[in-house]
Amino acid sequence: MERQWPEGPSADPDAARERYRADMAASRAAIRELFRREPSDAHTGLGLVVVASVLVAVVWVPQAGAVLAGGFAALFVVALVVALFLGRRRGGAVRAAYRFTFGWGGWVSF
């Protein structure tokens, strides 16, 4: 059975394969750039969590602020375990978990 290529019967399968690989590499690079986080973004996220926890504890009840802070702490621990499981070293795993947990701070603008 002969393969049908979109370019016609004289298509070069190696060139098509190379175009596919180049397109996939460009797509992965765009996704990595979208989710790339800087430490300053994570610092902003951590600061916002601390301020929100204190504000919630003052306005409502202290337990609500503790639940909010505890939720982020639990997310950090889970991210840390996953990073360690994936083979990162101690310092790298802590940085990756920190950026994952609080990196959304870069999306907040004042």
Side-chain angles (χ1 to χ4, degrees):
M1 183 172 182
E2 189 174 317
R3 289 187 178 179
Q4 297 294 322
W5 296 94
E7 293 89 1
S10 61
D12 181 16
D14 293 329
R17 195 172 296 113
E18 200 53 44
R19 278 195 313 274
Y20 172 78
R21 288 183 182 138
D23 289 345
M24 288 302 293
S27 176
R28 289 182 185 121
I31 289 174
R32 274 194 309 271
E33 182 63 31
L34 176 66
F35 288 108
R36 180 167 287 142
R37 296 285 158 245
E38 298 297 324
S40 61
D41 296 340
H43 297 334
T44 302
L46 177 62
L48 288 171
V49 167
V50 169
V51 168
S53 296
V54 169
L55 185 65
V56 166
V58 168
V59 172
W60 285 286
V61 293
Q63 291 85 359
V67 166
L68 180 63
F72 278 97
L75 179 61
F76 176 79
V77 169
V78 169
L80 181 61
V81 168
V82 168
L84 288 170
F85 181 73
L86 291 176
R88 296 227 180 181
R89 304 246 186 234
R90 291 180 191 155
V94 170
R95 282 190 295 276
Y98 180 65
R99 287 179 184 165
F100 176 79
T101 305
F102 301 108
W104 53 266
W107 292 339
V108 177
S109 60
F110 298 104

